[in-house]
Amino acid sequence: MSMRWTGLAVAVTLLVGATLAIPVRASAAPGCAAPTGVYADAAPWPQGLFGPKRIWRLSTGAGQLVAVVGTGVDAANRQLSGRLADAKAVAGMSDPRHDCDGRGTLAAGMIAARPDAHTTFVGLAPGARLLSVKYTQTTSGGDSEPDPDGLAAAIKAAVAAHASVICVAVPAAHGSGALTDALRDAADADAVVVAPARIGSSDHPVGRSYPTSSPGVLGVAVAGRDGAAASTEDGDYLDVAAPGAGVVGLAAGTGGALGHKWPATDPAAAAGYAAGAAALLRAYQPKLTAAQVVDRITRTATDSGAARDPRLGAGMIDPAAAVGAPLPAHRSSPSPGPTAIPAAVAAVPPSEPYRDLVLVSGLGAPGAALLLLLAVRTVRRGRRRRWRPARQT
Protein backbone atom coordinates (compact mmCIF):
# COMPACT_ATOMS: atom_id res chain seq x y z
CA MET A 1 0.00 0.00 0.00
CA SER A 2 1.43 3.41 -0.96
CA MET A 3 2.13 6.11 1.59
CA ARG A 4 -0.95 7.98 0.38
CA TRP A 5 -3.31 5.07 1.16
CA THR A 6 -1.48 4.17 4.35
CA GLY A 7 -2.00 7.72 5.54
CA LEU A 8 -5.69 7.52 4.63
CA ALA A 9 -6.13 4.29 6.61
CA VAL A 10 -4.37 5.79 9.63
CA ALA A 11 -6.58 8.86 9.46
CA VAL A 12 -9.72 6.72 9.34
CA THR A 13 -8.44 4.67 12.28
CA LEU A 14 -7.82 7.81 14.32
CA LEU A 15 -11.25 9.15 13.44
CA VAL A 16 -12.95 5.91 14.54
CA GLY A 17 -10.92 5.86 17.74
CA ALA A 18 -11.87 9.42 18.50
CA THR A 19 -15.57 8.64 18.18
CA LEU A 20 -15.24 5.71 20.58
CA ALA A 21 -13.73 7.71 23.42
CA ILE A 22 -15.88 10.62 24.49
CA PRO A 23 -14.76 12.15 27.79
CA VAL A 24 -17.10 13.47 30.46
CA ARG A 25 -16.87 17.21 30.92
CA ALA A 26 -17.04 17.84 34.65
CA SER A 27 -19.43 20.76 35.11
CA ALA A 28 -21.27 19.92 38.33
CA ALA A 29 -21.52 22.78 40.80
CA PRO A 30 -19.78 22.27 44.16
CA GLY A 31 -21.85 19.95 46.31
CA CYS A 32 -23.97 18.75 43.38
CA ALA A 33 -24.19 15.33 41.76
CA ALA A 34 -21.41 14.41 39.33
CA PRO A 35 -20.90 11.47 36.96
CA THR A 36 -18.75 8.47 37.82
CA GLY A 37 -17.73 8.31 34.15
CA VAL A 38 -19.04 6.75 30.95
CA TYR A 39 -20.25 3.20 31.57
CA ALA A 40 -18.93 0.88 28.84
CA ASP A 41 -18.81 -2.54 30.51
CA ALA A 42 -21.26 -5.43 30.08
CA ALA A 43 -24.93 -4.50 30.04
CA PRO A 44 -26.19 -3.57 33.53
CA TRP A 45 -27.96 -6.40 35.31
CA PRO A 46 -31.51 -4.99 34.98
CA GLN A 47 -31.11 -5.02 31.18
CA GLY A 48 -29.98 -8.62 31.29
CA LEU A 49 -33.03 -9.38 33.39
CA PHE A 50 -35.57 -7.50 31.23
CA GLY A 51 -34.12 -7.80 27.71
CA PRO A 52 -35.45 -4.39 26.57
CA LYS A 53 -34.49 -4.84 22.91
CA ARG A 54 -36.95 -7.76 22.70
CA ILE A 55 -39.68 -5.59 24.18
CA TRP A 56 -38.99 -2.78 21.70
CA ARG A 57 -40.29 -5.07 18.96
CA LEU A 58 -43.69 -4.47 20.52
CA SER A 59 -43.34 -1.11 22.23
CA THR A 60 -40.77 1.60 22.88
CA GLY A 61 -43.19 3.74 24.89
CA ALA A 62 -43.69 6.05 21.90
CA GLY A 63 -46.58 8.47 22.33
CA GLN A 64 -46.41 8.47 26.13
CA LEU A 65 -45.53 11.49 28.26
CA VAL A 66 -43.95 10.46 31.55
CA ALA A 67 -43.68 13.11 34.25
CA VAL A 68 -40.63 12.80 36.53
CA VAL A 69 -41.60 14.47 39.80
CA GLY A 70 -38.68 15.24 42.07
CA THR A 71 -35.43 17.20 41.99
CA GLY A 72 -35.44 18.17 38.32
CA VAL A 73 -33.93 16.44 35.28
CA ASP A 74 -30.55 17.37 33.80
CA ALA A 75 -31.63 17.66 30.19
CA ALA A 76 -28.01 18.19 29.09
CA ASN A 77 -27.06 14.52 29.50
CA ARG A 78 -26.58 13.31 25.93
CA GLN A 79 -28.77 10.21 26.34
CA LEU A 80 -31.70 12.48 27.19
CA SER A 81 -31.28 14.54 24.02
CA GLY A 82 -34.71 15.07 22.51
CA ARG A 83 -36.46 13.20 25.34
CA LEU A 84 -37.50 16.18 27.50
CA ALA A 85 -40.78 17.54 26.17
CA ASP A 86 -41.20 20.23 28.83
CA ALA A 87 -40.13 21.22 32.33
CA LYS A 88 -41.98 22.91 35.18
CA ALA A 89 -41.02 24.14 38.64
CA VAL A 90 -43.41 24.43 41.57
CA ALA A 91 -43.18 25.66 45.16
CA GLY A 92 -40.59 28.30 44.26
CA MET A 93 -38.05 25.81 42.92
CA SER A 94 -35.21 26.73 40.54
CA ASP A 95 -34.68 25.62 36.93
CA PRO A 96 -36.35 22.18 36.47
CA ARG A 97 -33.79 21.35 33.76
CA HIS A 98 -31.07 21.47 36.41
CA ASP A 99 -30.71 18.67 38.96
CA CYS A 100 -28.15 19.26 41.71
CA ASP A 101 -29.37 16.26 43.70
CA GLY A 102 -29.27 13.81 40.77
CA ARG A 103 -32.23 11.63 41.66
CA GLY A 104 -34.60 13.05 39.08
CA THR A 105 -32.03 12.45 36.34
CA LEU A 106 -31.45 8.91 37.63
CA ALA A 107 -35.16 8.11 37.34
CA ALA A 108 -35.43 9.80 33.92
CA GLY A 109 -32.60 7.65 32.55
CA MET A 110 -34.21 4.40 33.68
CA ILE A 111 -37.33 5.48 31.83
CA ALA A 112 -36.16 6.95 28.55
CA ALA A 113 -32.37 7.14 28.07
CA ARG A 114 -31.67 6.80 24.35
CA PRO A 115 -29.40 4.05 22.99
CA ASP A 116 -25.85 5.27 22.43
CA ALA A 117 -22.96 3.42 20.77
CA HIS A 118 -20.56 4.41 23.55
CA THR A 119 -22.42 2.77 26.43
CA THR A 120 -24.38 -0.40 27.11
CA PHE A 121 -26.81 1.46 29.38
CA VAL A 122 -30.19 2.36 27.92
CA GLY A 123 -33.63 3.26 29.26
CA LEU A 124 -36.50 0.82 29.34
CA ALA A 125 -38.85 2.96 27.20
CA PRO A 126 -36.65 5.18 24.99
CA GLY A 127 -39.58 6.18 22.82
CA ALA A 128 -41.35 7.95 25.67
CA ARG A 129 -41.13 11.71 26.18
CA LEU A 130 -40.34 13.21 29.58
CA LEU A 131 -41.76 16.07 31.61
CA SER A 132 -39.55 17.32 34.44
CA VAL A 133 -41.56 18.65 37.39
CA LYS A 134 -39.31 19.97 40.15
CA TYR A 135 -40.78 20.35 43.63
CA THR A 136 -37.82 19.73 45.94
CA GLN A 137 -34.06 20.34 46.00
CA THR A 138 -33.09 17.32 48.05
CA THR A 139 -34.56 14.13 49.47
CA SER A 140 -34.03 14.17 53.22
CA GLY A 141 -32.69 15.99 56.21
CA GLY A 142 -34.52 18.20 58.69
CA ASP A 143 -36.17 21.24 57.16
CA SER A 144 -35.37 20.02 53.65
CA GLU A 145 -37.70 17.02 53.96
CA PRO A 146 -39.92 17.00 50.85
CA ASP A 147 -43.12 18.98 51.36
CA PRO A 148 -46.32 17.01 50.60
CA ASP A 149 -48.12 20.17 49.49
CA GLY A 150 -45.30 20.92 47.04
CA LEU A 151 -45.56 17.33 45.83
CA ALA A 152 -49.30 17.82 45.38
CA ALA A 153 -48.68 20.91 43.23
CA ALA A 154 -46.18 18.92 41.15
CA ILE A 155 -48.67 16.09 40.54
CA LYS A 156 -51.32 18.63 39.56
CA ALA A 157 -48.85 20.20 37.10
CA ALA A 158 -48.19 16.76 35.59
CA VAL A 159 -51.93 16.13 35.25
CA ALA A 160 -52.43 19.53 33.61
CA ALA A 161 -49.69 18.65 31.10
CA HIS A 162 -51.57 15.42 30.24
CA ALA A 163 -48.89 13.03 31.45
CA SER A 164 -50.05 9.43 31.02
CA VAL A 165 -47.57 8.19 33.66
CA ILE A 166 -46.43 10.16 36.71
CA CYS A 167 -43.19 8.91 38.26
CA VAL A 168 -42.65 10.27 41.76
CA ALA A 169 -38.88 9.94 42.04
CA VAL A 170 -38.84 11.55 45.49
CA PRO A 171 -41.76 10.66 47.80
CA ALA A 172 -42.66 12.54 50.96
CA ALA A 173 -42.64 11.24 54.53
CA HIS A 174 -46.08 12.68 55.26
CA GLY A 175 -49.37 13.04 53.46
CA SER A 176 -51.68 16.04 53.26
CA GLY A 177 -55.15 16.98 52.13
CA ALA A 178 -53.67 18.70 49.10
CA LEU A 179 -51.81 15.53 48.15
CA THR A 180 -55.00 13.47 48.46
CA ASP A 181 -56.78 15.95 46.18
CA ALA A 182 -53.94 15.81 43.64
CA LEU A 183 -54.08 12.01 43.52
CA ARG A 184 -57.81 12.22 42.96
CA ASP A 185 -57.18 14.54 40.02
CA ALA A 186 -54.64 12.07 38.62
CA ALA A 187 -57.15 9.23 38.92
CA ASP A 188 -59.84 11.31 37.20
CA ALA A 189 -57.35 12.03 34.39
CA ASP A 190 -56.54 8.30 34.09
CA ALA A 191 -52.84 8.85 34.82
CA VAL A 192 -50.73 6.02 36.27
CA VAL A 193 -48.97 7.24 39.42
CA VAL A 194 -45.79 5.37 40.42
CA ALA A 195 -43.94 5.95 43.69
CA PRO A 196 -41.16 4.05 45.52
CA ALA A 197 -40.55 2.81 49.02
CA ARG A 198 -37.72 4.50 50.89
CA ILE A 199 -34.45 3.16 52.22
CA GLY A 200 -33.76 3.78 55.88
CA SER A 201 -31.29 2.51 58.44
CA SER A 202 -31.21 1.47 62.08
CA ASP A 203 -30.38 5.07 62.96
CA HIS A 204 -33.00 6.54 60.64
CA PRO A 205 -35.93 4.12 60.24
CA VAL A 206 -38.65 5.03 57.77
CA GLY A 207 -42.40 4.83 58.04
CA ARG A 208 -44.94 5.13 55.27
CA SER A 209 -44.04 7.09 52.17
CA TYR A 210 -46.51 9.26 50.27
CA PRO A 211 -47.97 8.83 47.76
CA THR A 212 -46.44 5.30 47.77
CA SER A 213 -48.89 4.14 50.43
CA SER A 214 -51.91 5.90 48.90
CA PRO A 215 -54.72 3.91 47.22
CA GLY A 216 -54.44 3.49 43.46
CA VAL A 217 -50.70 4.26 43.33
CA LEU A 218 -48.25 1.64 42.02
CA GLY A 219 -46.06 1.22 45.12
CA VAL A 220 -42.56 0.01 44.21
CA ALA A 221 -40.03 -1.67 46.50
CA VAL A 222 -36.30 -1.36 45.79
CA ALA A 223 -34.62 -4.68 44.92
CA GLY A 224 -31.06 -5.81 44.25
CA ARG A 225 -29.63 -8.27 41.77
CA ASP A 226 -30.30 -11.18 44.14
CA GLY A 227 -33.97 -10.23 44.31
CA ALA A 228 -33.76 -9.21 47.96
CA ALA A 229 -35.33 -5.99 49.16
CA ALA A 230 -32.98 -3.04 49.58
CA SER A 231 -35.73 -0.72 50.78
CA THR A 232 -36.59 -0.98 54.46
CA GLU A 233 -40.13 0.33 54.16
CA ASP A 234 -42.75 -2.41 54.17
CA GLY A 235 -46.49 -2.74 53.98
CA ASP A 236 -49.32 -4.35 52.07
CA TYR A 237 -49.47 -1.23 49.87
CA LEU A 238 -46.23 -2.20 48.11
CA ASP A 239 -47.35 -3.77 44.84
CA VAL A 240 -44.11 -4.82 43.12
CA ALA A 241 -40.33 -4.53 43.28
CA ALA A 242 -37.96 -3.06 40.68
CA PRO A 243 -34.17 -2.79 40.29
CA GLY A 244 -32.77 -0.01 42.44
CA ALA A 245 -29.68 -1.40 44.20
CA GLY A 246 -26.27 -1.67 42.57
CA VAL A 247 -27.53 -0.30 39.26
CA VAL A 248 -26.13 1.93 36.50
CA GLY A 249 -28.00 5.13 35.71
CA LEU A 250 -27.69 8.53 34.07
CA ALA A 251 -25.79 11.17 36.01
CA ALA A 252 -26.50 14.86 36.34
CA GLY A 253 -23.71 17.36 35.88
CA THR A 254 -22.20 16.05 32.62
CA GLY A 255 -22.07 19.43 30.92
CA GLY A 256 -23.81 18.17 27.80
CA ALA A 257 -21.71 15.03 27.39
CA LEU A 258 -22.43 11.38 28.11
CA GLY A 259 -22.22 10.44 31.78
CA HIS A 260 -23.33 7.75 34.22
CA LYS A 261 -23.35 6.98 37.91
CA TRP A 262 -22.63 3.50 39.26
CA PRO A 263 -23.08 1.57 41.42
CA ALA A 264 -26.20 3.45 42.47
CA THR A 265 -28.70 2.40 45.11
CA ASP A 266 -31.72 4.66 45.25
CA PRO A 267 -35.53 4.42 45.26
CA ALA A 268 -35.65 6.81 42.29
CA ALA A 269 -34.10 4.10 40.11
CA ALA A 270 -36.78 1.55 41.05
CA ALA A 271 -39.54 4.11 40.45
CA GLY A 272 -38.03 4.89 37.04
CA TYR A 273 -37.98 1.25 35.94
CA ALA A 274 -41.58 0.71 37.04
CA ALA A 275 -42.69 3.91 35.30
CA GLY A 276 -40.87 2.77 32.16
CA ALA A 277 -42.79 -0.50 32.25
CA ALA A 278 -46.04 1.45 32.57
CA ALA A 279 -45.11 3.59 29.55
CA LEU A 280 -44.35 0.49 27.47
CA LEU A 281 -47.69 -1.04 28.42
CA ARG A 282 -49.73 2.11 27.83
CA ALA A 283 -48.18 2.51 24.38
CA TYR A 284 -48.85 -1.10 23.40
CA GLN A 285 -52.32 -1.41 24.93
CA PRO A 286 -53.69 2.15 24.90
CA LYS A 287 -57.22 1.10 25.83
CA LEU A 288 -56.16 -0.05 29.30
CA THR A 289 -57.16 2.26 32.12
CA ALA A 290 -54.61 3.40 34.70
CA ALA A 291 -56.05 0.94 37.21
CA GLN A 292 -55.75 -1.89 34.68
CA VAL A 293 -52.12 -0.95 33.99
CA VAL A 294 -51.31 -1.15 37.71
CA ASP A 295 -53.15 -4.47 37.97
CA ARG A 296 -51.39 -5.97 34.96
CA ILE A 297 -47.90 -4.95 36.10
CA THR A 298 -48.66 -6.40 39.53
CA ARG A 299 -50.15 -9.68 38.32
CA THR A 300 -47.33 -10.35 35.84
CA ALA A 301 -44.56 -9.71 38.37
CA THR A 302 -41.99 -12.45 38.96
CA ASP A 303 -43.34 -14.03 42.14
CA SER A 304 -40.83 -14.41 44.97
CA GLY A 305 -42.84 -17.12 46.72
CA ALA A 306 -46.31 -18.40 47.59
CA ALA A 307 -46.93 -15.64 50.16
CA ARG A 308 -46.91 -11.95 49.31
CA ASP A 309 -43.81 -10.34 50.76
CA PRO A 310 -44.51 -7.07 52.63
CA ARG A 311 -41.15 -5.71 51.45
CA LEU A 312 -41.34 -6.91 47.82
CA GLY A 313 -45.03 -6.98 47.01
CA ALA A 314 -45.90 -9.45 44.25
CA GLY A 315 -42.24 -9.66 43.19
CA MET A 316 -39.95 -8.17 40.55
CA ILE A 317 -41.62 -6.41 37.63
CA ASP A 318 -41.55 -8.28 34.32
CA PRO A 319 -42.04 -5.67 31.55
CA ALA A 320 -42.13 -8.23 28.73
CA ALA A 321 -44.90 -10.17 30.43
CA ALA A 322 -46.79 -7.00 31.32
CA VAL A 323 -46.75 -5.87 27.69
CA GLY A 324 -47.41 -9.04 25.76
CA ALA A 325 -48.01 -12.16 27.85
CA PRO A 326 -51.44 -13.62 28.75
CA LEU A 327 -52.61 -12.28 32.09
CA PRO A 328 -52.49 -15.00 34.77
CA ALA A 329 -55.70 -15.68 36.66
CA HIS A 330 -53.82 -16.03 39.95
CA ARG A 331 -50.33 -16.62 41.34
CA SER A 332 -50.29 -19.86 43.32
CA SER A 333 -46.65 -20.79 42.66
CA PRO A 334 -43.41 -18.97 41.99
CA SER A 335 -42.81 -17.76 38.46
CA PRO A 336 -39.71 -19.21 36.75
CA GLY A 337 -38.44 -15.74 35.86
CA PRO A 338 -38.98 -12.91 33.39
CA THR A 339 -41.21 -13.96 30.51
CA ALA A 340 -39.72 -14.42 27.04
CA ILE A 341 -41.57 -12.86 24.13
CA PRO A 342 -42.94 -15.62 21.87
CA ALA A 343 -40.70 -16.41 18.88
CA ALA A 344 -43.34 -15.37 16.35
CA VAL A 345 -43.62 -11.97 17.97
CA ALA A 346 -39.86 -11.63 18.47
CA ALA A 347 -39.35 -12.02 14.73
CA VAL A 348 -41.18 -8.73 14.08
CA PRO A 349 -38.59 -6.00 13.34
CA PRO A 350 -38.38 -3.04 15.75
CA SER A 351 -40.39 0.00 14.74
CA GLU A 352 -38.61 3.05 13.37
CA PRO A 353 -36.64 4.98 14.42
CA TYR A 354 -35.42 2.53 17.05
CA ARG A 355 -34.44 -0.21 14.59
CA ASP A 356 -31.39 1.86 13.61
CA LEU A 357 -30.72 2.88 17.21
CA VAL A 358 -30.73 -0.74 18.33
CA LEU A 359 -28.24 -1.63 15.61
CA VAL A 360 -25.97 1.32 16.41
CA SER A 361 -26.05 0.63 20.15
CA GLY A 362 -24.59 -2.82 19.48
CA LEU A 363 -21.93 -1.65 17.03
CA GLY A 364 -19.03 -0.86 19.38
CA ALA A 365 -15.36 -1.39 18.52
CA PRO A 366 -15.85 -4.60 16.40
CA GLY A 367 -18.33 -2.78 14.18
CA ALA A 368 -15.96 0.18 13.84
CA ALA A 369 -13.14 -2.16 12.83
CA LEU A 370 -15.39 -3.73 10.19
CA LEU A 371 -16.22 -0.30 8.78
CA LEU A 372 -12.51 0.48 8.59
CA LEU A 373 -11.80 -2.78 6.74
CA LEU A 374 -14.59 -2.06 4.26
CA ALA A 375 -13.23 1.45 3.67
CA VAL A 376 -9.72 0.17 2.97
CA ARG A 377 -11.02 -2.51 0.58
CA THR A 378 -13.09 0.09 -1.25
CA VAL A 379 -10.05 2.32 -1.68
CA ARG A 380 -7.98 -0.59 -3.03
CA ARG A 381 -10.67 -1.51 -5.52
CA GLY A 382 -10.85 2.10 -6.63
CA ARG A 383 -7.11 2.17 -7.28
CA ARG A 384 -7.35 -0.90 -9.53
CA ARG A 385 -10.01 0.94 -11.55
CA ARG A 386 -7.76 4.02 -11.80
CA TRP A 387 -9.96 5.95 -9.35
CA ARG A 388 -8.19 8.78 -7.53
CA PRO A 389 -9.44 11.01 -4.75
CA ALA A 390 -10.35 14.51 -5.87
CA ARG A 391 -7.49 16.98 -5.54
CA GLN A 392 -8.00 20.28 -3.78
CA THR A 393 -7.21 23.25 -6.02
Side-chain angles (χ1 to χ4, degrees):
M1 182 182 293
S2 68
M3 290 297 293
R4 177 188 301 171
W5 304 114
T6 301
L8 177 60
V10 170
V12 173
T13 301
L14 291 175
L15 178 61
V16 171
T19 62
L20 292 176
I22 297 180
V24 174
R25 296 195 295 272
S27 67
C32 289
T36 305
V38 173
Y39 184 84
D41 292 339
W45 69 264
Q47 292 172 214
L49 182 68
F50 297 149
K53 291 181 183 179
R54 298 178 299 116
I55 307 173
W56 295 344
R57 295 179 171 96
L58 300 178
S59 173
T60 65
Q64 302 304 303
L65 179 64
V66 183
V68 180
V69 175
T71 58
V73 173
D74 187 348
N77 190 301
R78 201 174 76 187
Q79 280 189 276
L80 291 180
S81 175
R83 294 299 87 205
L84 202 64
D86 200 358
K88 301 179 183 296
V90 301
M93 291 293 107
S94 59
D95 184 3
R97 296 174 185 268
H98 174 68
D99 181 14
C100 177
D101 183 89
R103 286 168 172 81
T105 305
L106 184 68
M110 302 312 189
I111 298 166
R114 294 173 60 89
D116 189 286
H118 300 93
T119 178
T120 53
F121 172 77
V122 68
L124 191 56
R129 302 292 302 282
L130 298 172
L131 167 69
S132 172
V133 188
K134 187 173 186 175
Y135 89 97
T136 185
Q137 303 281 10
T138 186
T139 60
S140 63
D143 295 336
S144 63
E145 186 73 37
D147 173 33
D149 289 350
L151 175 54
I155 291 175
K156 283 180 174 288
V159 171
H162 307 291
S164 58
V165 179
I166 301 174
C167 174
V168 179
V170 183
H174 306 283
S176 70
L179 182 55
T180 299
D181 290 343
L183 292 173
R184 186 179 301 114
D185 289 349
D188 290 344
D190 198 37
V192 176
V193 180
V194 180
R198 293 186 296 165
I199 300 174
S201 65
S202 57
D203 296 331
H204 298 89
V206 296
R208 285 175 172 252
S209 294
Y210 295 85
T212 312
S213 59
S214 302
V217 173
L218 181 65
V220 185
V222 183
R225 185 170 192 163
D226 59 358
S231 47
T232 54
E233 182 176 352
D234 59 26
D236 58 5
Y237 52 85
L238 293 179
D239 298 298
V240 291
V247 297
V248 178
L250 289 193
T254 64
L258 196 62
H260 305 93
K261 183 174 180 59
W262 76 91
T265 296
D266 197 278
Y273 271 123
L280 291 172
L281 179 53
R282 297 217 87 169
Y284 186 65
Q285 299 194 42
K287 293 184 179 181
L288 294 181
T289 65
Q292 288 172 327
V293 169
V294 171
D295 178 67
R296 187 172 180 87
I297 291 174
T298 301
R299 291 172 65 187
T300 56
T302 302
D303 202 345
S304 58
R308 189 182 179 100
D309 190 321
R311 290 181 60 190
L312 291 170
M316 185 75 80
I317 60 169
D318 185 345
V323 169
L327 192 64
H330 61 278
R331 305 299 294 270
S332 59
S333 61
S335 166
T339 303
I341 295 176
V345 176
V348 179
S351 59
E352 298 291 353
Y354 288 93
R355 183 180 67 84
D356 293 334
L357 285 172
V358 169
L359 292 175
V360 169
S361 68
L363 186 61
L370 178 60
L371 288 177
L372 175 59
L373 178 61
L374 291 174
V376 171
R377 292 185 63 180
T378 300
V379 169
R380 288 176 173 174
R381 181 175 297 177
R383 287 191 66 200
R384 289 196 298 269
R385 296 181 180 180
R386 300 182 179 277
W387 171 84
R388 291 292 185 273
R391 293 181 178 273
Q392 300 247 344
T393 59

